[in-house]
Amino acid sequence: MGRVLALFRPYRARIALVTSIIVVSAVVALASPLLLRELLDHAIPDRDVTLVTLIALGMIAVAVVTNTLGVVQTWMSNSVGQTLMHDLRVAVYGHLQRQSLGFFARTRTGEVQSRIANDIGGMQSVVTNTATSIAQNATTVAATVVALFLLDWRLALFSLIILPVFVRIARKIGNERRKISTTRQKLLSELSVQIEESLSVSGILLGKTTGSSGVLTQQFAARSDEVADVELKAMMAGKWRMASMQISFAIMPALVYWFAGITIGNGSALTVGTLVAFTTLQTQLFRPTMQLLSTGVEVQSSLALFGRVFEYLDLPVDIDEPIAPTLLAREDVWGHVRFEHVEFSYADASRPALSDIDIDVPAGSTLALVGSTGSGKTTLGYLAARLHDPTHGRITIDGIDIRDLPTAVVADLVGVVSQETYLFHASIRDNLRFAKPDATDAEIERAARIAQIHDFVVGLDDGYDTVVGERGYRFSGGEKQRLAIARTVLRNPPILILDEATSALDNSTERAVQTALDELMVGRTTIIVAHRLSTVRAADRIAVLDGGRVVEIGNHTELVDKGGRYADLVHASGDSAHNDVSESVAA
């Protein structure tokens, strides 16, 4: 609870102002029953027209002031709540952006979306209304209790004796709803995951091509039924107990009249006006008391949501900004990359993915990485882009450990073109400009020409304003790959990581993409995760990986003459630059 309250700390000045408005409104509202007592005990019996008029005007003024202050208070409290919600969403999103690639490989996208949308969204009413509701109702309750005792202490004690019992009941209801809320959010998360996975373009394509659409619908119906069941439980939790409390509050005025008639004799100073004013105040007391108890129940229920959000905010950051970053201007970068005794292990792996990798990649040269599935080729390439950090050893650019550079600088220096090309559901122009938001149309066109995709784009009806569709499914693999290359051209990084950029393409498409890559590689340090020999043969150096270790290194001719592992790969591929490497070297 302390951590939840800490969320409101940056807004304490505005909350203090809201609280002041609440206090003033509560005090002003107490004037109505007191004016009513004066009206019944003096103004009407004494036929004092002037006093009746003044009291009536006073009651009108109280209504105008309290309602006006209520509108102002509602605006201010909602403004604070929405600002806090915004900050919380951004904090979670920003923290997730700092997570390594490994986190997202382990976590389903729908689960992440559910934390941001469902969990934070579910907290909205609590965050927006709870603080002011507690302050408003607590102030009203406190002021009303004081007024009740001032009117008649005996009636006040009689009216308040049952409140501790109701507080205990409300706490029990809150604990019950908190448990249900935890289950509810888990089920909603699973439902979001299924929606995200099965209703994506890939999910729909898989469902239709395998005839599984009916099965997916049945699975969704089963999960939706579970959600509906737990939602009903959440709505009904404690309803009977809350109803009994409301019934008790509703009959209290009658009990007060009974108590007054039985215990207070004819000699009592209690007047009709006092009794009516008391029961009016009593009614005003029970309403905020019920709201206060209900708010306590809501807070208890929402703690499960806060817990899930804090769980993400507490995730350790695998790749963090350096405390004392090294400044490195783009124009001063040569692009000399060195892996110095690098080791790396995935969190859930039983053995290291890479062991003692020691490779020097001079500026402007090309290094190709080949090896069997699971040999560590892609992992090594991603380490150079700082998508992971090595467990031991270091990776340097021009002698500077990349962990000493700001992550934005590493991203600016190292461009990655992967086999899995991702395009946003936006226009071609917007997808390319994502790499360089201030890029001009001329720069976009030049990048597209270098990537050998300009002629294709201008041939479309909407040209560069053509919407690519979700994940670019309107285009072929080669077209998407060349768009990704154009995006990298716009960034103009001095270092390139090509992660099997042509492995999934047919020979004719590969040649077009390879031409684009050749244009891109000119004058840049390039590390190629290889699947086909077409790019391997031309590399300055080739590193053969096996079991996370470098077993051979040299150029094509040297390694073939050596007659080792690489020579076997060449032989298995038919010694052709355009044939696939055998299945044993697929990554």
Side-chain angles (χ1 to χ4, degrees):
M1 180 60 74
R3 191 171 181 182
V4 174
L5 294 176
L7 293 173
F8 294 89
R9 191 170 296 132
Y11 316 101
R12 53 184 176 271
R14 281 189 281 177
I15 291 175
L17 181 58
V18 172
T19 304
S20 300
I21 294 174
I22 290 171
V23 171
V24 172
S25 180
V27 172
V28 170
L30 290 177
S32 285
L34 299 179
L35 289 171
L36 179 61
R37 181 180 67 172
E38 191 67 18
L39 182 71
L40 295 175
D41 286 348
H42 300 289
I44 292 178
D46 297 343
R47 300 179 184 275
D48 189 336
V49 177
T50 302
L51 184 58
V52 169
T53 303
L54 290 174
I55 291 173
L57 290 174
M59 289 180 171
I60 294 172
V62 168
V64 171
V65 171
T66 54
N67 281 280
T68 301
L69 290 176
V71 173
V72 174
Q73 173 258 310
T74 299
W75 177 82
M76 292 188 66
S77 61
N78 276 276
S79 174
V80 172
Q82 290 301 327
T83 303
L84 191 151
M85 290 290 294
H86 163 75
D87 291 346
L88 195 58
R89 280 194 297 267
V90 172
V92 173
Y93 184 86
H95 191 71
L96 290 174
Q97 284 285 351
R98 295 166 59 201
Q99 295 299 312
S100 70
L101 197 62
F103 168 79
F104 296 97
R106 298 188 303 268
T107 309
R108 294 178 297 182
T109 304
E111 166 70 15
V112 176
Q113 292 173 344
S114 179
R115 296 287 177 114
I116 296 177
N118 292 339
D119 294 350
I120 295 181
M123 293 158 48
Q124 179 164 330
S125 62
V126 175
V127 169
T128 303
N129 302 320
T130 297
T132 52
S133 177
I134 290 174
Q136 184 175 20
N137 291 313
T139 302
T140 301
V141 168
T144 305
V145 167
V146 171
L148 288 176
F149 275 96
L150 290 175
L151 287 172
D152 192 283
W153 65 271
R154 293 163 297 180
L155 293 178
L157 286 177
F158 177 75
S159 298
L160 301 176
I161 196 169
I162 60 174
L163 281 182
V165 177
F166 290 157
V167 171
R168 183 177 178 85
I169 291 174
R171 290 187 62 182
K172 286 184 177 180
I173 296 173
N175 289 331
E176 182 181 346
R177 288 190 180 177
R178 181 177 178 179
K179 293 176 182 177
I180 294 174
S181 181
T182 301
T183 304
R184 173 179 175 271
Q185 292 309 120
K186 182 180 178 181
L187 290 174
L188 284 174
S189 176
E190 292 175 354
L191 196 67
S192 295
V193 168
Q194 182 167 359
I195 292 172
E196 191 275 332
E197 291 179 347
S198 62
L199 293 184
S200 65
V201 173
S202 299
I204 289 292
L205 184 61
L206 179 62
K208 289 184 178 296
T209 55
T210 59
S212 302
S213 297
V215 174
L216 290 172
T217 301
Q218 290 174 2
Q219 291 175 349
F220 179 82
R223 280 204 172 94
S224 179
D225 184 60
E226 290 178 333
V227 170
D229 183 60
V230 79
E231 289 279 13
L232 182 59
K233 289 180 179 177
M235 292 176 184
M236 293 305 298
K239 283 295 183 181
W240 284 111
R241 278 174 285 187
M242 293 295 285
S244 66
M245 292 165 60
Q246 290 174 335
I247 291 172
S248 299
F249 285 151
I251 65 176
M252 279 306 296
L255 294 178
V256 166
Y257 288 131
W258 171 81
F259 183 79
I262 296 298
T263 61
I264 300 175
N266 294 329
S268 172
L270 184 65
T271 65
V272 172
T274 299
L275 187 58
V276 172
F278 187 94
T279 53
T280 303
L281 279 173
Q282 186 183 51
T283 302
Q284 291 183 3
L285 170 67
F286 291 151
R287 181 182 58 81
T289 300
M290 280 298 299
Q291 290 181 352
L292 201 58
L293 294 175
S294 297
T295 300
V297 169
E298 281 189 37
V299 170
Q300 285 284 93
S301 303
S302 67
L303 288 179
L305 303 180
F306 282 104
R308 285 170 59 85
V309 172
F310 290 149
E311 183 180 332
Y312 264 23
L313 286 174
D314 292 339
L315 286 171
V317 177
D318 298 331
I319 298 176
D320 208 351
E321 296 291 340
I323 297 175
T326 300
L327 301 179
L328 184 62
R330 165 74 83 89
E331 57 271 16
D332 297 331
V333 175
W334 290 89
H336 180 191
V337 178
R338 179 164 177 78
F339 300 87
E340 299 179 3
H341 303 287
V342 169
E343 294 188 9
F344 177 76
S345 297
Y346 288 101
D348 54 353
S350 58
R351 64 179 181 84
L354 294 169
S355 299
D356 197 29
I357 303 295
D358 196 77
I359 305 175
D360 187 70
V361 190
S365 67
T366 300
L367 170 72
L369 304 173
V370 300
S372 59
T373 300
S375 60
K377 306 185 301 299
T378 296
T379 300
L380 187 58
Y382 284 176
L383 283 171
R386 212 189 171 203
L387 299 178
H388 305 289
D389 272 343
T391 309
H392 298 290
R394 68 175 193 157
I395 302 166
T396 63
I397 295 176
D398 294 346
I400 301 172
D401 192 325
I402 61 175
R403 289 172 294 194
D404 293 332
L405 296 171
T407 53
V409 170
V410 177
D412 186 49
L413 298 179
V414 184
V416 179
V417 179
S418 67
Q419 179 181 353
E420 294 293 329
T421 302
Y422 188 87
L423 298 176
F424 292 102
H425 186 71
S427 68
I428 292 174
R429 191 188 315 278
D430 289 339
N431 268 282
L432 297 181
R433 195 167 270 148
F434 182 77
K436 186 181 180 183
D438 60 347
T440 64
D441 288 345
E443 288 175 318
I444 289 174
E445 182 177 325
R446 175 181 173 276
R449 288 184 183 277
I450 292 174
Q452 308 292 312
I453 194 67
H454 172 73
D455 292 341
F456 166 77
V457 174
V458 296
L460 299 171
D461 291 341
D462 295 323
Y464 282 92
D465 293 320
T466 301
V467 176
V468 303
E470 185 180 356
R471 298 180 64 87
Y473 268 88
R474 290 187 60 180
F475 301 139
S476 69
E479 291 157 358
K480 289 190 292 184
Q481 197 66 282
R482 279 176 282 173
L483 287 173
I485 293 169
R487 195 160 53 189
T488 304
V489 170
L490 271 178
R491 290 183 52 212
N492 193 31
I495 301 167
L496 284 176
I497 310 294
L498 304 181
D499 181 18
E500 306 189 41
T502 63
S503 65
L505 308 178
D506 59 69
N507 287 337
S508 61
T509 305
E510 181 201 2
R511 283 192 291 271
V513 173
Q514 190 59 54
T515 301
L517 289 174
D518 290 340
E519 290 276 354
L520 180 61
M521 290 164 58
V522 173
R524 306 177 200 273
T525 305
T526 306
I527 298 174
I528 302 172
V529 177
H531 181 61
R532 297 190 176 186
L533 292 183
S534 53
T535 52
V536 171
R537 292 166 63 91
D540 296 306
R541 299 179 79 199
I542 301 167
V544 183
L545 277 69
D546 185 23
R549 294 179 178 273
V550 175
V551 294
E552 290 181 337
I553 191 165
N555 61 38
H556 173 77
T557 302
E558 292 170 347
L559 294 177
V560 168
D561 292 342
K562 186 177 180 180
R565 183 67 182 276
Y566 180 76
D568 293 339
L569 302 180
V570 172
H571 176 72
S573 68
D575 196 20
S576 170
H578 298 289
N579 289 342
D580 288 348
V581 177
S582 64
E583 188 173 279
S584 64
V585 298

